[in-house]
PDB file of all heavy atoms in Angstrom:
ATOM      1  N   ILE A1486     113.873 -10.025 150.256  1.00 92.00           N
ATOM      2  CA  ILE A1486     113.962  -8.977 149.289  1.00 92.00           C
ATOM      3  C   ILE A1486     112.638  -8.850 148.557  1.00 92.00           C
ATOM      4  O   ILE A1486     112.091  -9.839 148.052  1.00 92.00           O
ATOM      5  CB  ILE A1486     115.079  -9.226 148.258  1.00 92.00           C
ATOM      6  CG1 ILE A1486     116.439  -9.358 148.990  1.00 92.00           C
ATOM      7  CG2 ILE A1486     115.135  -8.120 147.235  1.00 92.00           C
ATOM      8  CD1 ILE A1486     117.589  -9.699 148.043  1.00 92.00           C
ATOM      9  N   THR A1487     112.075  -7.612 148.571  1.00 92.00           N
ATOM     10  CA  THR A1487     110.868  -7.336 147.800  1.00 92.00           C
ATOM     11  C   THR A1487     111.109  -6.097 146.953  1.00 92.00           C
ATOM     12  O   THR A1487     112.123  -5.384 147.174  1.00 92.00           O
ATOM     13  CB  THR A1487     109.691  -7.072 148.722  1.00 92.00           C
ATOM     14  OG1 THR A1487     109.975  -5.995 149.576  1.00 92.00           O
ATOM     15  CG2 THR A1487     109.350  -8.318 149.588  1.00 92.00           C
ATOM     16  N   GLY A1488     110.211  -5.862 146.005  1.00 90.00           N
ATOM     17  CA  GLY A1488     110.311  -4.694 145.170  1.00 90.00           C
ATOM     18  C   GLY A1488     109.183  -3.710 145.442  1.00 90.00           C
ATOM     19  O   GLY A1488     108.105  -4.083 145.918  1.00 90.00           O
ATOM     20  N   ALA A1489     109.466  -2.423 145.168  1.00 88.00           N
ATOM     21  CA  ALA A1489     108.417  -1.408 145.420  1.00 88.00           C
ATOM     22  C   ALA A1489     107.211  -1.654 144.509  1.00 88.00           C
ATOM     23  O   ALA A1489     106.118  -1.213 144.874  1.00 88.00           O
ATOM     24  CB  ALA A1489     109.030  -0.035 145.081  1.00 88.00           C
ATOM     25  N   TYR A1490     107.386  -2.377 143.425  1.00 88.00           N
ATOM     26  CA  TYR A1490     106.299  -2.687 142.500  1.00 88.00           C
ATOM     27  C   TYR A1490     105.853  -4.132 142.607  1.00 88.00           C
ATOM     28  O   TYR A1490     105.228  -4.687 141.709  1.00 88.00           O
ATOM     29  CB  TYR A1490     106.648  -2.353 141.049  1.00 88.00           C
ATOM     30  CG  TYR A1490     107.028  -0.878 140.886  1.00 88.00           C
ATOM     31  CD1 TYR A1490     108.368  -0.473 140.865  1.00 88.00           C
ATOM     32  CD2 TYR A1490     106.041   0.095 140.803  1.00 88.00           C
ATOM     33  CE1 TYR A1490     108.687   0.879 140.764  1.00 88.00           C
ATOM     34  CE2 TYR A1490     106.382   1.426 140.695  1.00 88.00           C
ATOM     35  CZ  TYR A1490     107.699   1.824 140.659  1.00 88.00           C
ATOM     36  OH  TYR A1490     108.048   3.120 140.537  1.00 88.00           O
ATOM     37  N   ASP A1491     106.204  -4.783 143.716  1.00 90.00           N
ATOM     38  CA  ASP A1491     105.823  -6.154 143.964  1.00 90.00           C
ATOM     39  C   ASP A1491     104.335  -6.294 144.253  1.00 90.00           C
ATOM     40  O   ASP A1491     103.614  -5.268 144.418  1.00 90.00           O
ATOM     41  CB  ASP A1491     106.641  -6.740 145.141  1.00 90.00           C
ATOM     42  CG  ASP A1491     107.027  -8.152 144.935  1.00 90.00           C
ATOM     43  OD1 ASP A1491     106.208  -8.924 144.365  1.00 90.00           O
ATOM     44  OD2 ASP A1491     108.113  -8.514 145.345  1.00 90.00           O
ATOM     45  N   ILE A1492     103.838  -7.519 144.285  1.00 86.00           N
ATOM     46  CA  ILE A1492     102.443  -7.764 144.638  1.00 86.00           C
ATOM     47  C   ILE A1492     102.175  -7.207 146.040  1.00 86.00           C
ATOM     48  O   ILE A1492     102.954  -7.365 146.984  1.00 86.00           O
ATOM     49  CB  ILE A1492     102.158  -9.275 144.565  1.00 86.00           C
ATOM     50  CG1 ILE A1492     102.380  -9.769 143.156  1.00 86.00           C
ATOM     51  CG2 ILE A1492     100.762  -9.602 145.021  1.00 86.00           C
ATOM     52  CD1 ILE A1492     102.391 -11.262 142.976  1.00 86.00           C
ATOM     53  N   GLY A1493     100.995  -6.617 146.221  1.00 88.00           N
ATOM     54  CA  GLY A1493     100.674  -5.909 147.488  1.00 88.00           C
ATOM     55  C   GLY A1493     100.826  -6.806 148.706  1.00 88.00           C
ATOM     56  O   GLY A1493     101.393  -6.338 149.742  1.00 88.00           O
ATOM     57  N   ARG A1494     100.260  -7.984 148.669  1.00 88.00           N
ATOM     58  CA  ARG A1494     100.302  -8.849 149.866  1.00 88.00           C
ATOM     59  C   ARG A1494     101.734  -9.267 150.211  1.00 88.00           C
ATOM     60  O   ARG A1494     102.062  -9.501 151.374  1.00 88.00           O
ATOM     61  CB  ARG A1494      99.452 -10.101 149.608  1.00 88.00           C
ATOM     62  CG  ARG A1494      97.932  -9.801 149.541  1.00 88.00           C
ATOM     63  CD  ARG A1494      97.150 -11.094 149.393  1.00 88.00           C
ATOM     64  NE  ARG A1494      97.291 -11.934 150.527  1.00 88.00           N
ATOM     65  CZ  ARG A1494      96.884 -13.206 150.582  1.00 88.00           C
ATOM     66  NH1 ARG A1494      96.326 -13.743 149.494  1.00 88.00           N
ATOM     67  NH2 ARG A1494      97.011 -13.932 151.667  1.00 88.00           N
ATOM     68  N   ILE A1495     102.550  -9.379 149.202  1.00 86.00           N
ATOM     69  CA  ILE A1495     103.970  -9.728 149.455  1.00 86.00           C
ATOM     70  C   ILE A1495     104.694  -8.543 150.141  1.00 86.00           C
ATOM     71  O   ILE A1495     105.455  -8.708 151.070  1.00 86.00           O
ATOM     72  CB  ILE A1495     104.691 -10.097 148.131  1.00 86.00           C
ATOM     73  CG1 ILE A1495     104.185 -11.469 147.666  1.00 86.00           C
ATOM     74  CG2 ILE A1495     106.199 -10.105 148.283  1.00 86.00           C
ATOM     75  CD1 ILE A1495     104.720 -11.934 146.353  1.00 86.00           C
ATOM     76  N   ARG A1496     104.395  -7.324 149.647  1.00 86.00           N
ATOM     77  CA  ARG A1496     104.971  -6.111 150.277  1.00 86.00           C
ATOM     78  C   ARG A1496     104.531  -6.007 151.744  1.00 86.00           C
ATOM     79  O   ARG A1496     105.295  -5.578 152.610  1.00 86.00           O
ATOM     80  CB  ARG A1496     104.586  -4.888 149.503  1.00 86.00           C
ATOM     81  CG  ARG A1496     105.154  -4.810 148.125  1.00 86.00           C
ATOM     82  CD  ARG A1496     105.184  -3.362 147.588  1.00 86.00           C
ATOM     83  NE  ARG A1496     103.878  -2.667 147.786  1.00 86.00           N
ATOM     84  CZ  ARG A1496     102.887  -2.714 146.937  1.00 86.00           C
ATOM     85  NH1 ARG A1496     103.006  -3.372 145.765  1.00 86.00           N
ATOM     86  NH2 ARG A1496     101.760  -2.049 147.166  1.00 86.00           N
ATOM     87  N   GLN A1497     103.299  -6.417 152.037  1.00 86.00           N
ATOM     88  CA  GLN A1497     102.789  -6.303 153.397  1.00 86.00           C
ATOM     89  C   GLN A1497     103.325  -7.437 154.305  1.00 86.00           C
ATOM     90  O   GLN A1497     103.503  -7.218 155.505  1.00 86.00           O
ATOM     91  CB  GLN A1497     101.255  -6.392 153.398  1.00 86.00           C
ATOM     92  CG  GLN A1497     100.579  -5.229 152.686  1.00 86.00           C
ATOM     93  CD  GLN A1497      99.117  -5.478 152.321  1.00 86.00           C
ATOM     94  OE1 GLN A1497      98.559  -6.496 152.747  1.00 86.00           O
ATOM     95  NE2 GLN A1497      98.507  -4.613 151.545  1.00 86.00           N
ATOM     96  N   PHE A1498     103.633  -8.555 153.676  1.00 85.00           N
ATOM     97  CA  PHE A1498     104.110  -9.730 154.452  1.00 85.00           C
ATOM     98  C   PHE A1498     105.539  -9.551 154.926  1.00 85.00           C
ATOM     99  O   PHE A1498     105.890  -9.956 156.029  1.00 85.00           O
ATOM    100  CB  PHE A1498     104.006 -10.978 153.587  1.00 85.00           C
ATOM    101  CG  PHE A1498     104.549 -12.222 154.189  1.00 85.00           C
ATOM    102  CD1 PHE A1498     104.020 -12.770 155.368  1.00 85.00           C
ATOM    103  CD2 PHE A1498     105.625 -12.874 153.609  1.00 85.00           C
ATOM    104  CE1 PHE A1498     104.532 -13.910 155.927  1.00 85.00           C
ATOM    105  CE2 PHE A1498     106.163 -14.029 154.185  1.00 85.00           C
ATOM    106  CZ  PHE A1498     105.617 -14.561 155.348  1.00 85.00           C
ATOM    107  N   ALA A1499     106.381  -8.960 154.103  1.00 80.00           N
ATOM    108  CA  ALA A1499     107.811  -8.850 154.436  1.00 80.00           C
ATOM    109  C   ALA A1499     108.101  -8.177 155.776  1.00 80.00           C
ATOM    110  O   ALA A1499     108.845  -8.731 156.571  1.00 80.00           O
ATOM    111  CB  ALA A1499     108.561  -8.154 153.325  1.00 80.00           C
ATOM    112  N   PRO A1500     107.523  -7.013 156.070  1.00 78.00           N
ATOM    113  CA  PRO A1500     107.818  -6.419 157.366  1.00 78.00           C
ATOM    114  C   PRO A1500     107.297  -7.245 158.549  1.00 78.00           C
ATOM    115  O   PRO A1500     107.888  -7.178 159.637  1.00 78.00           O
ATOM    116  CB  PRO A1500     107.117  -5.043 157.303  1.00 78.00           C
ATOM    117  CG  PRO A1500     106.101  -5.197 156.210  1.00 78.00           C
ATOM    118  CD  PRO A1500     106.676  -6.149 155.241  1.00 78.00           C
ATOM    119  N   ILE A1501     106.254  -8.006 158.363  1.00 78.00           N
ATOM    120  CA  ILE A1501     105.745  -8.896 159.405  1.00 78.00           C
ATOM    121  C   ILE A1501     106.785  -9.960 159.725  1.00 78.00           C
ATOM    122  O   ILE A1501     107.096 -10.212 160.907  1.00 78.00           O
ATOM    123  CB  ILE A1501     104.407  -9.554 159.007  1.00 78.00           C
ATOM    124  CG1 ILE A1501     103.322  -8.495 158.861  1.00 78.00           C
ATOM    125  CG2 ILE A1501     103.979 -10.581 160.047  1.00 78.00           C
ATOM    126  CD1 ILE A1501     102.003  -9.034 158.309  1.00 78.00           C
ATOM    127  N   MET A1502     107.347 -10.591 158.676  1.00 75.00           N
ATOM    128  CA  MET A1502     108.393 -11.574 158.909  1.00 75.00           C
ATOM    129  C   MET A1502     109.640 -10.939 159.461  1.00 75.00           C
ATOM    130  O   MET A1502     110.345 -11.557 160.267  1.00 75.00           O
ATOM    131  CB  MET A1502     108.688 -12.261 157.561  1.00 75.00           C
ATOM    132  CG  MET A1502     107.567 -13.107 157.056  1.00 75.00           C
ATOM    133  SD  MET A1502     106.954 -14.335 158.257  1.00 75.00           S
ATOM    134  CE  MET A1502     108.391 -15.313 158.516  1.00 75.00           C
ATOM    135  N   ASN A1503     109.880  -9.722 159.084  1.00 68.00           N
ATOM    136  CA  ASN A1503     111.056  -9.027 159.599  1.00 68.00           C
ATOM    137  C   ASN A1503     110.941  -8.843 161.103  1.00 68.00           C
ATOM    138  O   ASN A1503     111.899  -9.031 161.846  1.00 68.00           O
ATOM    139  CB  ASN A1503     111.179  -7.668 158.896  1.00 68.00           C
ATOM    140  CG  ASN A1503     112.487  -6.954 159.236  1.00 68.00           C
ATOM    141  OD1 ASN A1503     113.528  -7.546 159.218  1.00 68.00           O
ATOM    142  ND2 ASN A1503     112.406  -5.669 159.528  1.00 68.00           N
ATOM    143  N   ASP A1504     109.748  -8.505 161.579  1.00 68.00           N
ATOM    144  CA  ASP A1504     109.526  -8.383 163.022  1.00 68.00           C
ATOM    145  C   ASP A1504     109.630  -9.716 163.745  1.00 68.00           C
ATOM    146  O   ASP A1504     110.091  -9.791 164.850  1.00 68.00           O
ATOM    147  CB  ASP A1504     108.148  -7.759 163.296  1.00 68.00           C
ATOM    148  CG  ASP A1504     108.083  -6.279 162.833  1.00 68.00           C
ATOM    149  OD1 ASP A1504     109.163  -5.694 162.705  1.00 68.00           O
ATOM    150  OD2 ASP A1504     106.965  -5.768 162.619  1.00 68.00           O
ATOM    151  N   LEU A1505     109.133 -10.784 163.078  1.00 63.00           N
ATOM    152  CA  LEU A1505     109.127 -12.126 163.692  1.00 63.00           C
ATOM    153  C   LEU A1505     110.505 -12.599 164.030  1.00 63.00           C
ATOM    154  O   LEU A1505     110.726 -13.148 165.094  1.00 63.00           O
ATOM    155  CB  LEU A1505     108.435 -13.128 162.729  1.00 63.00           C
ATOM    156  CG  LEU A1505     108.489 -14.623 163.160  1.00 63.00           C
ATOM    157  CD1 LEU A1505     107.652 -14.791 164.400  1.00 63.00           C
ATOM    158  CD2 LEU A1505     107.982 -15.524 162.034  1.00 63.00           C
ATOM    159  N   GLY A1506     111.457 -12.385 163.120  1.00 56.00           N
ATOM    160  CA  GLY A1506     112.760 -12.986 163.332  1.00 56.00           C
ATOM    161  C   GLY A1506     113.828 -12.016 163.722  1.00 56.00           C
ATOM    162  O   GLY A1506     115.005 -12.411 163.743  1.00 56.00           O
ATOM    163  N   SER A1507     113.560 -10.795 164.020  1.00 53.00           N
ATOM    164  CA  SER A1507     114.559  -9.810 164.368  1.00 53.00           C
ATOM    165  C   SER A1507     115.385 -10.331 165.538  1.00 53.00           C
ATOM    166  O   SER A1507     114.848 -10.948 166.495  1.00 53.00           O
ATOM    167  CB  SER A1507     113.896  -8.486 164.730  1.00 53.00           C
ATOM    168  OG  SER A1507     114.824  -7.527 165.015  1.00 53.00           O
ATOM    169  N   PRO A1508     116.717 -10.191 165.530  1.00 57.00           N
ATOM    170  CA  PRO A1508     117.516  -9.391 164.611  1.00 57.00           C
ATOM    171  C   PRO A1508     118.127 -10.155 163.448  1.00 57.00           C
ATOM    172  O   PRO A1508     118.845  -9.588 162.638  1.00 57.00           O
ATOM    173  CB  PRO A1508     118.601  -8.814 165.494  1.00 57.00           C
ATOM    174  CG  PRO A1508     118.857  -9.952 166.477  1.00 57.00           C
ATOM    175  CD  PRO A1508     117.547 -10.617 166.671  1.00 57.00           C
ATOM    176  N   HIS A1509     117.913 -11.485 163.324  1.00 83.00           N
ATOM    177  CA  HIS A1509     118.641 -12.278 162.323  1.00 83.00           C
ATOM    178  C   HIS A1509     117.939 -12.224 160.965  1.00 83.00           C
ATOM    179  O   HIS A1509     118.434 -12.821 160.018  1.00 83.00           O
ATOM    180  CB  HIS A1509     118.886 -13.669 162.793  1.00 83.00           C
ATOM    181  CG  HIS A1509     117.657 -14.537 162.803  1.00 83.00           C
ATOM    182  ND1 HIS A1509     116.702 -14.421 163.797  1.00 83.00           N
ATOM    183  CD2 HIS A1509     117.239 -15.511 162.006  1.00 83.00           C
ATOM    184  CE1 HIS A1509     115.725 -15.273 163.590  1.00 83.00           C
ATOM    185  NE2 HIS A1509     116.010 -15.972 162.507  1.00 83.00           N
ATOM    186  N   ILE A1510     116.805 -11.545 160.855  1.00 87.00           N
ATOM    187  CA  ILE A1510     116.156 -11.402 159.546  1.00 87.00           C
ATOM    188  C   ILE A1510     116.330  -9.955 159.095  1.00 87.00           C
ATOM    189  O   ILE A1510     116.104  -8.992 159.821  1.00 87.00           O
ATOM    190  CB  ILE A1510     114.642 -11.691 159.674  1.00 87.00           C
ATOM    191  CG1 ILE A1510     114.424 -13.145 160.013  1.00 87.00           C
ATOM    192  CG2 ILE A1510     113.948 -11.373 158.328  1.00 87.00           C
ATOM    193  CD1 ILE A1510     113.006 -13.570 160.088  1.00 87.00           C
ATOM    194  N   GLU A1511     116.821  -9.807 157.879  1.00 88.00           N
ATOM    195  CA  GLU A1511     117.007  -8.487 157.266  1.00 88.00           C
ATOM    196  C   GLU A1511     116.074  -8.373 156.068  1.00 88.00           C
ATOM    197  O   GLU A1511     115.935  -9.313 155.298  1.00 88.00           O
ATOM    198  CB  GLU A1511     118.487  -8.352 156.842  1.00 88.00           C
ATOM    199  CG  GLU A1511     118.827  -6.959 156.328  1.00 88.00           C
ATOM    200  CD  GLU A1511     120.288  -6.787 156.001  1.00 88.00           C
ATOM    201  OE1 GLU A1511     121.073  -7.762 156.307  1.00 88.00           O
ATOM    202  OE2 GLU A1511     120.701  -5.761 155.496  1.00 88.00           O
ATOM    203  N   TRP A1512     115.494  -7.186 155.916  1.00 87.00           N
ATOM    204  CA  TRP A1512     114.556  -6.974 154.806  1.00 87.00           C
ATOM    205  C   TRP A1512     115.052  -5.820 153.932  1.00 87.00           C
ATOM    206  O   TRP A1512     115.305  -4.735 154.427  1.00 87.00           O
ATOM    207  CB  TRP A1512     113.135  -6.635 155.362  1.00 87.00           C
ATOM    208  CG  TRP A1512     112.165  -6.195 154.333  1.00 87.00           C
ATOM    209  CD1 TRP A1512     112.037  -6.653 153.038  1.00 87.00           C
ATOM    210  CD2 TRP A1512     111.170  -5.190 154.494  1.00 87.00           C
ATOM    211  NE1 TRP A1512     110.994  -6.041 152.396  1.00 87.00           N
ATOM    212  CE2 TRP A1512     110.429  -5.096 153.271  1.00 87.00           C
ATOM    213  CE3 TRP A1512     110.789  -4.359 155.528  1.00 87.00           C
ATOM    214  CZ2 TRP A1512     109.421  -4.221 153.044  1.00 87.00           C
ATOM    215  CZ3 TRP A1512     109.748  -3.463 155.337  1.00 87.00           C
ATOM    216  CH2 TRP A1512     109.080  -3.402 154.135  1.00 87.00           C
TER     217      TRP A1512
END
């Protein structure tokens, strides 16, 4: 879970991790 106003690098990291673990990772 991230926020639209979260730190930039955190917002960029989440979709990368989402791709790494798909389908058992949900973002």
Side-chain angles (χ1 to χ4, degrees):
I1486 301 176
T1487 59
Y1490 301 98
D1491 216 324
I1492 298 169
R1494 292 183 64 192
I1495 288 176
R1496 295 199 312 270
Q1497 296 165 7
F1498 174 64
I1501 295 173
M1502 293 306 299
N1503 189 44
D1504 291 341
L1505 174 66
S1507 183
H1509 71 285
I1510 296 180
E1511 186 175 355
W1512 171 38

